[in-house]
Amino acid sequence: MSDITVRPLGEDDWEDYRSVRLAALRESPEAFVASVDDEASYDEDFWRERMQRSARLVAERDGVAVGVVSVGTAKESDGTAGELFGLWVRPEARGSGVATHLVKDGATLAAERGHSHLVYWVGTENGRAVAFASGMGFRPTDYRRPMGVVSEEDGEEEIAMVLPLGADNGPSLRL
């Protein structure tokens, strides 16, 4: 198996992001609030603006996109918390380290942007996702919110899991 590379996407890479985002929506429609039909209809200006709102990282193997994640500032925070969202890996690449590479690079990017910790919202009933996040060093918090899309796999609510970036921020992390 060849190596996984992760690269940041800039505004001019909007078509690359659009392609992998639409692939994610087609393959896992239950995992996203958006629909493939809606997002496929958006124009270049929409996609360029989206690229400016948050950082986008794409994982590739042999030049083919096999995963994607976004990193932004947590809405619920005072600006110190980064947020990891939109993590998706092609089914044939799952279990091969793609998600690990994306999350590690996302955490590095968040730290470089001055975030003290990284928030990752996970469905409370999704044991696999909770275990993955825990294995990456994320710890559960008391913060919960309703799921944007309710599914049997994820449950009806999400839990904020938090990864300290740099010095250990202790148990009282702020969102």
Side-chain angles (χ1 to χ4, degrees), residues 7 15 21 38 40 46 48 63 68 73 95 104 111 143:
R7 68 180 173 98
E15 290 176 292
R21 171 74 176 173
D38 287 343
F46 171 87
R48 285 183 176 278
V68 66
T73 300
K104 283 182 179 179
Y143 294 97

mmCIF file with all atom_site columns, all heavy atoms in Angstrom, residues 7 15 21 38 40 46 48 63 68 73 95 104 111 143:
data_model
loop_
_atom_site.group_PDB
_atom_site.id
_atom_site.type_symbol
_atom_site.label_atom_id
_atom_site.label_alt_id
_atom_site.label_comp_id
_atom_site.label_asym_id
_atom_site.label_entity_id
_atom_site.label_seq_id
_atom_site.pdbx_PDB_ins_code
_atom_site.Cartn_x
_atom_site.Cartn_y
_atom_site.Cartn_z
_atom_site.occupancy
_atom_site.B_iso_or_equiv
_atom_site.pdbx_formal_charge
_atom_site.auth_seq_id
_atom_site.auth_comp_id
_atom_site.auth_asym_id
_atom_site.auth_atom_id
_atom_site.pdbx_PDB_model_num
ATOM 1   N N   . ARG A 1 7   ? -2.535  17.306 2.382   1.00 0.00 ? 7   ARG A N   1
ATOM 2   C CA  . ARG A 1 7   ? -2.169  18.651 1.958   1.00 0.00 ? 7   ARG A CA  1
ATOM 3   C C   . ARG A 1 7   ? -3.313  19.623 2.232   1.00 0.00 ? 7   ARG A C   1
ATOM 4   O O   . ARG A 1 7   ? -4.486  19.260 2.148   1.00 0.00 ? 7   ARG A O   1
ATOM 5   C CB  . ARG A 1 7   ? -1.772  18.691 0.485   1.00 0.00 ? 7   ARG A CB  1
ATOM 6   C CG  . ARG A 1 7   ? -2.893  18.429 -0.489  1.00 0.00 ? 7   ARG A CG  1
ATOM 7   C CD  . ARG A 1 7   ? -2.395  18.494 -1.943  1.00 0.00 ? 7   ARG A CD  1
ATOM 8   N NE  . ARG A 1 7   ? -3.426  18.073 -2.859  1.00 0.00 ? 7   ARG A NE  1
ATOM 9   C CZ  . ARG A 1 7   ? -4.221  18.908 -3.525  1.00 0.00 ? 7   ARG A CZ  1
ATOM 10  N NH1 . ARG A 1 7   ? -4.104  20.204 -3.389  1.00 0.00 ? 7   ARG A NH1 1
ATOM 11  N NH2 . ARG A 1 7   ? -5.149  18.422 -4.341  1.00 0.00 ? 7   ARG A NH2 1
ATOM 12  N N   . GLU A 1 15  ? -12.142 23.374 -6.486  1.00 0.00 ? 15  GLU A N   1
ATOM 13  C CA  . GLU A 1 15  ? -12.685 22.245 -7.258  1.00 0.00 ? 15  GLU A CA  1
ATOM 14  C C   . GLU A 1 15  ? -12.279 20.902 -6.655  1.00 0.00 ? 15  GLU A C   1
ATOM 15  O O   . GLU A 1 15  ? -13.068 19.957 -6.658  1.00 0.00 ? 15  GLU A O   1
ATOM 16  C CB  . GLU A 1 15  ? -12.256 22.342 -8.721  1.00 0.00 ? 15  GLU A CB  1
ATOM 17  C CG  . GLU A 1 15  ? -12.933 23.491 -9.446  1.00 0.00 ? 15  GLU A CG  1
ATOM 18  C CD  . GLU A 1 15  ? -12.440 23.661 -10.858 1.00 0.00 ? 15  GLU A CD  1
ATOM 19  O OE1 . GLU A 1 15  ? -11.269 24.040 -11.038 1.00 0.00 ? 15  GLU A OE1 1
ATOM 20  O OE2 . GLU A 1 15  ? -13.240 23.404 -11.790 1.00 0.00 ? 15  GLU A OE2 1
ATOM 21  N N   . ARG A 1 21  ? -15.860 16.572 -1.336  1.00 0.00 ? 21  ARG A N   1
ATOM 22  C CA  . ARG A 1 21  ? -17.048 16.843 -0.513  1.00 0.00 ? 21  ARG A CA  1
ATOM 23  C C   . ARG A 1 21  ? -18.280 16.178 -1.124  1.00 0.00 ? 21  ARG A C   1
ATOM 24  O O   . ARG A 1 21  ? -19.085 15.555 -0.412  1.00 0.00 ? 21  ARG A O   1
ATOM 25  C CB  . ARG A 1 21  ? -17.251 18.361 -0.401  1.00 0.00 ? 21  ARG A CB  1
ATOM 26  C CG  . ARG A 1 21  ? -18.541 18.805 0.228   1.00 0.00 ? 21  ARG A CG  1
ATOM 27  C CD  . ARG A 1 21  ? -18.574 18.619 1.701   1.00 0.00 ? 21  ARG A CD  1
ATOM 28  N NE  . ARG A 1 21  ? -19.838 19.164 2.230   1.00 0.00 ? 21  ARG A NE  1
ATOM 29  C CZ  . ARG A 1 21  ? -20.232 19.046 3.455   1.00 0.00 ? 21  ARG A CZ  1
ATOM 30  N NH1 . ARG A 1 21  ? -19.490 18.411 4.328   1.00 0.00 ? 21  ARG A NH1 1
ATOM 31  N NH2 . ARG A 1 21  ? -21.371 19.551 3.847   1.00 0.00 ? 21  ARG A NH2 1
ATOM 32  N N   . ASP A 1 38  ? -28.122 19.680 -3.247  1.00 0.00 ? 38  ASP A N   1
ATOM 33  C CA  . ASP A 1 38  ? -27.954 21.106 -2.948  1.00 0.00 ? 38  ASP A CA  1
ATOM 34  C C   . ASP A 1 38  ? -26.526 21.553 -3.236  1.00 0.00 ? 38  ASP A C   1
ATOM 35  O O   . ASP A 1 38  ? -26.305 22.540 -3.935  1.00 0.00 ? 38  ASP A O   1
ATOM 36  C CB  . ASP A 1 38  ? -28.284 21.411 -1.485  1.00 0.00 ? 38  ASP A CB  1
ATOM 37  C CG  . ASP A 1 38  ? -29.773 21.348 -1.189  1.00 0.00 ? 38  ASP A CG  1
ATOM 38  O OD1 . ASP A 1 38  ? -30.581 21.382 -2.145  1.00 0.00 ? 38  ASP A OD1 1
ATOM 39  O OD2 . ASP A 1 38  ? -30.118 21.266 0.006   1.00 0.00 ? 38  ASP A OD2 1
ATOM 40  N N   . ALA A 1 40  ? -24.145 20.219 -5.025  1.00 0.00 ? 40  ALA A N   1
ATOM 41  C CA  . ALA A 1 40  ? -23.729 20.108 -6.427  1.00 0.00 ? 40  ALA A CA  1
ATOM 42  C C   . ALA A 1 40  ? -24.190 21.316 -7.237  1.00 0.00 ? 40  ALA A C   1
ATOM 43  O O   . ALA A 1 40  ? -23.583 21.654 -8.260  1.00 0.00 ? 40  ALA A O   1
ATOM 44  C CB  . ALA A 1 40  ? -24.263 18.821 -7.042  1.00 0.00 ? 40  ALA A CB  1
ATOM 45  N N   . PHE A 1 46  ? -19.598 30.384 -4.264  1.00 0.00 ? 46  PHE A N   1
ATOM 46  C CA  . PHE A 1 46  ? -19.956 29.726 -3.014  1.00 0.00 ? 46  PHE A CA  1
ATOM 47  C C   . PHE A 1 46  ? -18.782 28.898 -2.500  1.00 0.00 ? 46  PHE A C   1
ATOM 48  O O   . PHE A 1 46  ? -18.416 28.963 -1.317  1.00 0.00 ? 46  PHE A O   1
ATOM 49  C CB  . PHE A 1 46  ? -21.177 28.823 -3.199  1.00 0.00 ? 46  PHE A CB  1
ATOM 50  C CG  . PHE A 1 46  ? -21.452 27.953 -2.004  1.00 0.00 ? 46  PHE A CG  1
ATOM 51  C CD1 . PHE A 1 46  ? -22.232 28.419 -0.966  1.00 0.00 ? 46  PHE A CD1 1
ATOM 52  C CD2 . PHE A 1 46  ? -20.908 26.677 -1.909  1.00 0.00 ? 46  PHE A CD2 1
ATOM 53  C CE1 . PHE A 1 46  ? -22.462 27.629 0.157   1.00 0.00 ? 46  PHE A CE1 1
ATOM 54  C CE2 . PHE A 1 46  ? -21.136 25.878 -0.796  1.00 0.00 ? 46  PHE A CE2 1
ATOM 55  C CZ  . PHE A 1 46  ? -21.925 26.360 0.232   1.00 0.00 ? 46  PHE A CZ  1
ATOM 56  N N   . ARG A 1 48  ? -15.553 29.053 -3.272  1.00 0.00 ? 48  ARG A N   1
ATOM 57  C CA  . ARG A 1 48  ? -14.407 29.877 -2.898  1.00 0.00 ? 48  ARG A CA  1
ATOM 58  C C   . ARG A 1 48  ? -14.612 30.511 -1.525  1.00 0.00 ? 48  ARG A C   1
ATOM 59  O O   . ARG A 1 48  ? -13.695 30.549 -0.709  1.00 0.00 ? 48  ARG A O   1
ATOM 60  C CB  . ARG A 1 48  ? -14.147 30.955 -3.954  1.00 0.00 ? 48  ARG A CB  1
ATOM 61  C CG  . ARG A 1 48  ? -13.507 30.424 -5.214  1.00 0.00 ? 48  ARG A CG  1
ATOM 62  C CD  . ARG A 1 48  ? -13.194 31.542 -6.203  1.00 0.00 ? 48  ARG A CD  1
ATOM 63  N NE  . ARG A 1 48  ? -12.502 31.028 -7.350  1.00 0.00 ? 48  ARG A NE  1
ATOM 64  C CZ  . ARG A 1 48  ? -11.199 30.796 -7.410  1.00 0.00 ? 48  ARG A CZ  1
ATOM 65  N NH1 . ARG A 1 48  ? -10.430 31.037 -6.357  1.00 0.00 ? 48  ARG A NH1 1
ATOM 66  N NH2 . ARG A 1 48  ? -10.651 30.321 -8.502  1.00 0.00 ? 48  ARG A NH2 1
ATOM 67  N N   . GLY A 1 63  ? -2.062  10.274 -5.460  1.00 0.00 ? 63  GLY A N   1
ATOM 68  C CA  . GLY A 1 63  ? -2.677  11.424 -6.105  1.00 0.00 ? 63  GLY A CA  1
ATOM 69  C C   . GLY A 1 63  ? -4.191  11.414 -6.130  1.00 0.00 ? 63  GLY A C   1
ATOM 70  O O   . GLY A 1 63  ? -4.815  12.303 -6.718  1.00 0.00 ? 63  GLY A O   1
ATOM 71  N N   . VAL A 1 68  ? -10.963 13.651 3.790   1.00 0.00 ? 68  VAL A N   1
ATOM 72  C CA  . VAL A 1 68  ? -11.003 15.105 3.941   1.00 0.00 ? 68  VAL A CA  1
ATOM 73  C C   . VAL A 1 68  ? -11.402 15.449 5.369   1.00 0.00 ? 68  VAL A C   1
ATOM 74  O O   . VAL A 1 68  ? -12.089 14.669 6.036   1.00 0.00 ? 68  VAL A O   1
ATOM 75  C CB  . VAL A 1 68  ? -12.002 15.728 2.931   1.00 0.00 ? 68  VAL A CB  1
ATOM 76  C CG1 . VAL A 1 68  ? -13.432 15.326 3.233   1.00 0.00 ? 68  VAL A CG1 1
ATOM 77  C CG2 . VAL A 1 68  ? -11.861 17.235 2.854   1.00 0.00 ? 68  VAL A CG2 1
ATOM 78  N N   . THR A 1 73  ? -12.669 27.617 13.725  1.00 0.00 ? 73  THR A N   1
ATOM 79  C CA  . THR A 1 73  ? -12.768 28.075 15.109  1.00 0.00 ? 73  THR A CA  1
ATOM 80  C C   . THR A 1 73  ? -14.110 27.619 15.649  1.00 0.00 ? 73  THR A C   1
ATOM 81  O O   . THR A 1 73  ? -15.136 27.799 14.990  1.00 0.00 ? 73  THR A O   1
ATOM 82  C CB  . THR A 1 73  ? -12.658 29.607 15.187  1.00 0.00 ? 73  THR A CB  1
ATOM 83  O OG1 . THR A 1 73  ? -11.387 30.004 14.649  1.00 0.00 ? 73  THR A OG1 1
ATOM 84  C CG2 . THR A 1 73  ? -12.769 30.106 16.618  1.00 0.00 ? 73  THR A CG2 1
ATOM 85  N N   . GLY A 1 95  ? -9.701  2.364  8.000   1.00 0.00 ? 95  GLY A N   1
ATOM 86  C CA  . GLY A 1 95  ? -8.869  1.417  8.734   1.00 0.00 ? 95  GLY A CA  1
ATOM 87  C C   . GLY A 1 95  ? -7.426  1.384  8.272   1.00 0.00 ? 95  GLY A C   1
ATOM 88  O O   . GLY A 1 95  ? -6.643  0.567  8.761   1.00 0.00 ? 95  GLY A O   1
ATOM 89  N N   . LYS A 1 104 ? -4.308  14.230 12.959  1.00 0.00 ? 104 LYS A N   1
ATOM 90  C CA  . LYS A 1 104 ? -3.016  14.728 13.424  1.00 0.00 ? 104 LYS A CA  1
ATOM 91  C C   . LYS A 1 104 ? -2.641  16.027 12.718  1.00 0.00 ? 104 LYS A C   1
ATOM 92  O O   . LYS A 1 104 ? -2.209  16.993 13.355  1.00 0.00 ? 104 LYS A O   1
ATOM 93  C CB  . LYS A 1 104 ? -1.921  13.678 13.220  1.00 0.00 ? 104 LYS A CB  1
ATOM 94  C CG  . LYS A 1 104 ? -1.945  12.565 14.234  1.00 0.00 ? 104 LYS A CG  1
ATOM 95  C CD  . LYS A 1 104 ? -0.809  11.592 14.012  1.00 0.00 ? 104 LYS A CD  1
ATOM 96  C CE  . LYS A 1 104 ? -0.827  10.493 15.062  1.00 0.00 ? 104 LYS A CE  1
ATOM 97  N NZ  . LYS A 1 104 ? 0.262   9.523  14.845  1.00 0.00 ? 104 LYS A NZ  1
ATOM 98  N N   . ALA A 1 111 ? -3.071  24.177 16.216  1.00 0.00 ? 111 ALA A N   1
ATOM 99  C CA  . ALA A 1 111 ? -2.053  24.702 17.137  1.00 0.00 ? 111 ALA A CA  1
ATOM 100 C C   . ALA A 1 111 ? -1.281  25.839 16.481  1.00 0.00 ? 111 ALA A C   1
ATOM 101 O O   . ALA A 1 111 ? -1.027  26.873 17.114  1.00 0.00 ? 111 ALA A O   1
ATOM 102 C CB  . ALA A 1 111 ? -1.112  23.579 17.567  1.00 0.00 ? 111 ALA A CB  1
ATOM 103 N N   . TYR A 1 143 ? -20.256 18.813 27.605  1.00 0.00 ? 143 TYR A N   1
ATOM 104 C CA  . TYR A 1 143 ? -21.011 19.529 26.578  1.00 0.00 ? 143 TYR A CA  1
ATOM 105 C C   . TYR A 1 143 ? -21.714 18.553 25.643  1.00 0.00 ? 143 TYR A C   1
ATOM 106 O O   . TYR A 1 143 ? -21.097 17.626 25.115  1.00 0.00 ? 143 TYR A O   1
ATOM 107 C CB  . TYR A 1 143 ? -20.090 20.436 25.760  1.00 0.00 ? 143 TYR A CB  1
ATOM 108 C CG  . TYR A 1 143 ? -19.500 21.562 26.556  1.00 0.00 ? 143 TYR A CG  1
ATOM 109 C CD1 . TYR A 1 143 ? -18.224 21.452 27.100  1.00 0.00 ? 143 TYR A CD1 1
ATOM 110 C CD2 . TYR A 1 143 ? -20.219 22.736 26.762  1.00 0.00 ? 143 TYR A CD2 1
ATOM 111 C CE1 . TYR A 1 143 ? -17.671 22.486 27.829  1.00 0.00 ? 143 TYR A CE1 1
ATOM 112 C CE2 . TYR A 1 143 ? -19.672 23.775 27.498  1.00 0.00 ? 143 TYR A CE2 1
ATOM 113 C CZ  . TYR A 1 143 ? -18.398 23.646 28.027  1.00 0.00 ? 143 TYR A CZ  1
ATOM 114 O OH  . TYR A 1 143 ? -17.856 24.664 28.756  1.00 0.00 ? 143 TYR A OH  1
#
